[in-house]
Amino acid sequence: MASHRRPKQPSRARVTVLTTAAAAAVAFSSQAANAAPSEKPSKDEVKAKVDKLYEEAEQATEKYNGAKEKQEKLQKEISTIQDNVARGQEELNELRDSLGLAAASQYRTGSIDPSVQLFLSADPDDYLDKASTLDQLSSQQVEALKKVQEKQRELAQERAEASEKLKDLASTRTELGKKKKEVQGKLASAQKLLNSLSAAEKAKLAEEQNRASRASERDALTADVPPGSGRAAAAFAFAQSQLGKPYVYGATGMSSYDCSGLTSRAYAAAGVQIPRTSEAQTGAGTKIYSVSQLKVGDLVFFFNDLHHVGLYAGNGQIIHAPRTGTVVRYESMDTIGGPFMFGVRV
């Protein structure tokens, strides 16, 4: 007869663990169900994050501008060197051709003078040393050979210089590409944040910015501040004529600008060439450290790394190209987002 065993009962400890786990799961589910959804960031919070991204994008933009300017300069220098090499090679070929004609003439008479052999040597430097020792050459022949030598040296030096600049150009292009991607990444992140705002919030944000710009313009136009030189006044007048044109990174006009693009174009319109980037523009004149000493048309620089520049408009206001999503406008120096460092009187 088969025996029937009673099933083993779970231990008291195991029952307690299972019961506790089940209770915790129920409680967690209840809390998750009752938990409030994460709050959407406010308009002001979005604006603060966007402003920070725009500041970082502008920092990268000025580095992009510097790399672009260096690339253009290198391309011009390389082109000039290559032209010089081409002309030098033609001159060297003409010298060699003339020496070859002399050799052919002597060959037809049945003998080649040692001096002509020297001209045709594969190593003119070595042959010249030997020939000078043997006093085989006339002073005129020595001068002719020296011209060949000098031209060969010039060409070798220019080719080496071109090679180094081509390497520098390649690395500059790489840096340019990196900075461009960095700018685009920051701007894309900022746009994503702005897209999270409602249409009403976007409209309110735009109105706040427009109101602040109108107030700054009013304060600037009513200020009793003397203009700088005639050229500074002309640069400022140009900047005024560009009010309302959009900010675009890397742009120098006439349809759009970035910050240093506006200031460099404004002074170019006044007949003064200043550097392209904000950092380089700090060396364009005399530094002014007190706001009270600034004159209309002076360059004004902000942030510790000097990545933003505008033109002083008087009464603590400037005209500048602020950042992506804005236009050339008046703005109070107090609302730039970074400290005023100094002005420069060009």
Side-chain angles (χ1 to χ4, degrees):
M1 181 176 178
S3 63
H4 297 278
R5 294 183 180 178
R6 185 177 181 183
K8 187 177 180 181
Q9 298 297 316
S11 68
R12 184 182 299 272
R14 187 178 179 191
V15 170
T16 301
V17 170
L18 291 173
T19 303
T20 303
V26 171
F28 179 80
S29 299
S30 175
Q31 290 173 1
N34 295 328
S38 58
E39 292 185 2
K40 177 183 174 183
S42 68
K43 172 179 65 66
D44 291 339
E45 288 173 334
V46 168
K47 182 180 182 301
K49 291 178 181 178
V50 167
D51 287 347
K52 179 64 176 174
L53 285 166
Y54 280 151
E55 179 189 338
E56 292 170 355
E58 190 175 35
Q59 288 174 309
T61 292
E62 286 304 299
K63 290 182 173 62
Y64 167 87
N65 290 338
K68 186 176 181 182
E69 185 178 42
K70 183 179 179 181
Q71 174 184 263
E72 292 169 353
K73 181 181 178 182
L74 282 169
Q75 286 173 328
K76 289 179 182 178
E77 290 174 351
I78 290 169
S79 179
T80 299
I81 292 172
Q82 289 174 334
D83 288 345
N84 290 341
V85 168
R87 283 194 297 270
Q89 189 62 55
E90 288 177 2
E91 293 173 9
L92 181 59
N93 291 342
E94 288 174 3
L95 287 170
R96 285 174 171 167
D97 288 346
S98 65
L99 297 177
L101 289 173
S105 175
Q106 291 195 17
Y107 179 77
R108 284 193 295 271
T109 65
S111 65
I112 298 181
D113 189 271
S115 63
V116 179
Q117 293 181 26
L118 170 64
F119 291 146
L120 302 177
S121 171
D123 189 353
D125 288 330
D126 181 57
Y127 208 120
L128 180 60
D129 292 337
K130 293 177 182 177
S132 297
T133 303
L134 297 173
D135 197 23
Q136 292 176 326
L137 301 176
S138 68
S139 59
Q140 185 177 2
Q141 290 169 332
V142 169
E143 286 304 314
L145 183 59
K146 282 183 176 178
K147 286 183 181 179
V148 173
Q149 291 175 303
E150 186 61 31
K151 185 57 63 178
Q152 286 176 323
R153 291 190 187 108
E154 284 179 11
L155 289 174
Q157 183 177 349
E158 287 177 334
R159 287 189 176 110
E161 185 179 356
S163 178
E164 287 302 311
K165 287 186 181 294
L166 283 168
K167 291 178 185 176
D168 197 3
L169 179 60
S171 62
T172 300
R173 283 174 172 162
T174 299
E175 177 69 12
L176 189 62
K178 288 180 180 178
K179 290 305 171 187
K180 185 175 182 179
K181 286 183 179 178
E182 184 178 349
V183 173
Q184 291 173 333
K186 299 290 184 185
L187 296 182
S189 297
Q191 189 59 52
K192 186 176 180 180
L193 281 168
L194 289 173
N195 290 342
S196 70
L197 296 176
S198 67
E201 287 174 324
K202 291 177 183 176
K204 187 174 182 181
L205 194 60
E207 177 53 32
E208 288 173 359
Q209 293 176 342
N210 291 336
R211 191 185 309 121
S213 183
R214 289 193 297 269
S216 294
E217 181 177 5
R218 182 180 63 249
D219 290 344
L221 294 177
T222 58
D224 185 19
V225 179
S229 66
R231 288 183 172 178
F236 183 75
F238 176 86
Q240 284 181 307
S241 73
Q242 304 306 297
L243 288 166
K245 292 188 177 180
Y247 178 103
V248 174
Y249 81 89
T252 58
M254 294 285 292
S255 59
S256 58
Y257 299 91
D258 62 20
C259 71
S260 56
L262 174 66
T263 51
S264 59
R265 177 56 72 96
Y267 267 94
V272 181
Q273 297 298 322
I274 64 174
R276 169 65 178 91
T277 65
S278 59
E279 185 177 2
Q281 287 177 13
T282 62
T286 304
K287 289 183 172 62
I288 311 293
Y289 291 94
S290 172
V291 175
S292 64
Q293 299 300 312
L294 292 172
K295 294 182 178 181
V296 173
D298 285 342
L299 297 171
V300 279
F301 298 87
F302 300 87
F303 298 95
N304 292 331
D305 62 356
L306 307 170
H307 72 258
H308 190 71
V309 61
L311 290 166
Y312 191 62
N315 201 25
Q317 315 299 315
I318 65 171
I319 289 179
H320 70 148
R323 58 186 177 273
T324 299
T326 65
V327 297
V328 176
R329 68 189 188 193
Y330 285 93
E331 189 165 354
S332 168
M333 293 170 66
D334 295 333
T335 62
I336 299 303
F340 164 72
M341 303 308 293
F342 51 79
V344 166
R345 187 156 299 149
V346 177

